[in-house]
Amino acid sequence: MSRLSSSGPQTADAPTPEDAFHETATLDDRARGPQRGTEADGPMLAADGTPLKKSLARALRAQKLRALALIAPLLIFVLVTFIAPIADMLFRSVENQIVRDTLPRTSAALATWDAESGDLPPDSAFEALYSDLFLAAEARRHTRLGQRLNYENTGMSSLFRGTGRDVDDFGEANVEMLEDLDDRWEEAEFWISMTSGTGGAAVLDAARERFIRLDDLSTRGPLGDAWCGVKGVFGAPCAVSAEDVDLGFTLSGDFAETFPRTAEAYAEFAVFMAIEEEETVADDEPWEAVYVALDRDLRALSPEELAAYDGPEAEALRAAQAALADVPPVDFRAAFVASDEDWGTVEPWRTIRTYAPPYTTGYFLNAVDMQKTPDGPALRDEDERIYGLLFQRTLFMSLMITFSCILLGYPVAWLLANLPMRTANLLMILVLLPFWTSLLVRTSAWKVMLQQQGVINDVLVWLGLVADDGRLIMINNQFGTIVAMTHILLPFMILPLYSVMQTIPPSYMRAAKSLGATPLTAFRRVYFPQTVPGIGAGSILVFILAIGYYITPEIVGGTTGTFISNRIAYHISSSLNWGLAAALGSILLVVVLVLYWAYDKIVGIDNVKLGG
Amino acid sequence: MAETDTQEAFVAFERVQKSYDGETLVVKDLNLAMPRGEFLTMLGPSGSGKTTCLMMLAGFETATHGEIKLGGQPINNIPPHKRGIGMVFQNYALFPHMTVAENLAFPLEVRSLPKSEREEKIRRALDMVQMGEFGGRRPAQLSGGQQQRIALARALVFEPELVLMDEPLGALDKQLREHMQFEITNLAHQLGITVVYVTHDQTEALTMSDRVAVFDDGRIQQLAAPDVLYETPENSFVAQFIGENNTLLGTVKEIRNEYAVVELDDGELIDCKPVNVSQPGERTLVSIRPERVEINAERLQEGAHTLKAEVLEFIYMGDIFRTRLRVAGKDDFIIKTRNAPDQRRLRPGEKIEIGWLPDDCRALDA
Ligand SMILES: Nc1ncnc2c1ncn2[C@@H]1O[C@H](COP(=O)(O)OP(=O)(O)O)[C@@H](O)[C@H]1O
Ligand SMILES: [Mg+2]
């Protein structure tokens, strides 16, 4: 302290020229910042008297518009290819229209049924299921629903497939009764003459809408109409959309009022013929379901009521009513139980009821190893839980990969930033080499390296480090995945690190050493803290890439080294459970966002530097 | 303190050479001895090896050949952090992730000083550079001049005996630079530290230093006090590098007594002081400072040679007049005259005679 202490007091008294103090004063002002001008009252005015802010905004508007026009293509591209799929995924993870679209009447009939009472649903539900299932089976959509419900309750798929096959024969006796009564009942013309007329358009429209939803037919919005108009000008008109297909048939309002079930069933038949078969009702006799519906309608009417009906073929209808009195009404319940005795239990009904709403938490519950039970959501049995473990494993392995990348990448980045240009360029090529090699090739190369008869094991055996019968298992497990993915993601760590290190002049380390720090202290206290933003950027990149990685774990991961993304891919391409895949994807997205948020809180995203 | 014996010198370079690539010598045969407390400036054009010399002294580069001594001890094998040399870098090298106070604390912490002592020293060092209130700021929140002061304080806070500065004022504007030059010399003298200062700005070198070492081509061209350097440059490089200078090419005609007669290329004769010419017939570059040229014939010595000149341009610069002349076929001959009441203001086109004292006109190597 000798010199400083003796000079300290003198410094204060040291002759300082006036401009020195002046200089210090101006420096202070400069550093303190606040400008005097801002304290003035009222807004600043431009030369023409408008507020300065306003005229500035006006001046900048054209510039902003031009900038917007320049980025518009990219903006639209990003919206279409990035935001839209994510939105679609989020929607799919809760979307559950299929039950309601396929079984609309059943869903409605079950709405009032108490699933927990232990009683079977009322007869009306069986009847509703019959009419729903008949149409679905004709359109071959019932298996899709069975598959969907199978995710929630195994056995639903075969139940629907089997009953879909049998449903044609339900009420066979009653149908035959009608057909035997008069041959005309089997003729399409007879049905047309009986049912056609005017005033029943609403029923036809409802049937058409229902069928479009059942068959997932795309409809064309106003934009599509405009497009087709343009195409038409060039002689390439669009195909007629389902909503515009001509049914070649109009329904009588009187008939629909008196025979509502029949009208509905016949309308569905008409829509099906026109849209699916591209024919009309004139080309075929109606479905059995129409006969069954007529049977139900005739039974619901008293003879007096029917006597009052004066529509076409009223005589034939009265004759049919009289004849049908001889056969018992169709017993839907018995027919379903005969087709599959599961229909006599509460389970399938409960499943339909639970998944009837258009939106469901079911996929998400599934994705976190839970299920819906009578007492609300609950964890699945221990041995059925897989996704929690997979998420944990994915996070753990991604962290391991990130750390390995930091450990291996840091020295390389340091060398890149500090070697002479020529050597650094060569090293850079080595770092970038993986980018120029197919991902599949790189991953397969690891397979060759790591397998039990592979290069590494051979070398270890040759060196005598492991016995020939004790070869290490380094592939098809977590180790293999971590090694291969660290290698593949390493450039994403090195590049941001390198670009940050490049901006750190060597004079910092020199300054630290000249101040008395050992090389290690200088590194720890001066160099390393300045590279933290690079580590942050690299870690975020590597971690987020790793957490969603698919190909590499698929190839080298075996069963214990796979990621959640492999499961997602399985549900998308094999089990076709897109809802669950979307739910898993959404959770992954949320996890990443939460981690990103936490990272921002702890490290601060401003501290992340990808370059300069 | 012009000549110092290397034995008792505080800092000494002995026959030091340095090559980075094994092909060219960046520093060729450097010999330098500095006494304790001296303010020595290395001055030279960019690329002349100044920084390299400084880095060798600080220990960041090793000398290819030769020995560097500090306090009489060879330091070639001592790592930089054990040399105890303070250093101010051109870009200041303030640690951006630390506050000003933490920056200053750094050298004290690595020396494990107790906290109270540390704080006391930091406070005093900050006061010393008039930055007492800025301890909590980050370097990025300071202006260039303020960063400069902090860098200075940091280099001094651990009380090194030797401080190296590599173009520390290069990034500052003129006014601030002049002020800091004054402050640095003041501090150095108060603290009694030895300073090796590197600059390519000759005014800075002349105003600040006890001695200036002029570097070119990896060699010290001249090592002398500022006035000596300015008035008696030893070779044409130094003469041209330092200050403004008029040069005329010629051949030595004869060397008589103390003076040489030089025949310029257009046949005119002038008297000069021979500096590094010895033989008649040698080519020589005659150098004369613009302010030593006399346009008033009465003020010249008896029998002095004069030259004819034509005024090409007259520039009024306030305190002085700067006039460009055509002399001996050259269009860039400058003279400077003081703005005194009786001073003539030359007009372009005017024909005059100029002359000088032979002592002011130096015949150097061509
Ligand atoms: N690290 C280095 N590697 C190779 N050449 C260098 C290095 N540092 C400086 N040089 C070369 O050495 C010469 C002198 O450089 P330097 O000492 O920085 O000059 P100055 O500081 O006088 O401008 C220059 O030609 C420069 O190109
Ligand atoms: Mg330099």
Side-chain angles (χ1 to χ4, degrees), chain B residues 20-21 26 44-53 61 166-167 198:
Chain B
Y20 284 107
D21 51 9
V26 171
S46 155
S48 57
K50 309 177 300 284
T51 301
T52 306
C53 287
E61 298 288 353
D166 190 358
E167 310 206 13
V198 164

Side-chain angles (χ1 to χ4, degrees), chain A residues 46 188 197 342 368 584 589 611:
Chain A
D342 277 355
V368 294
L584 289 170
L589 181 67

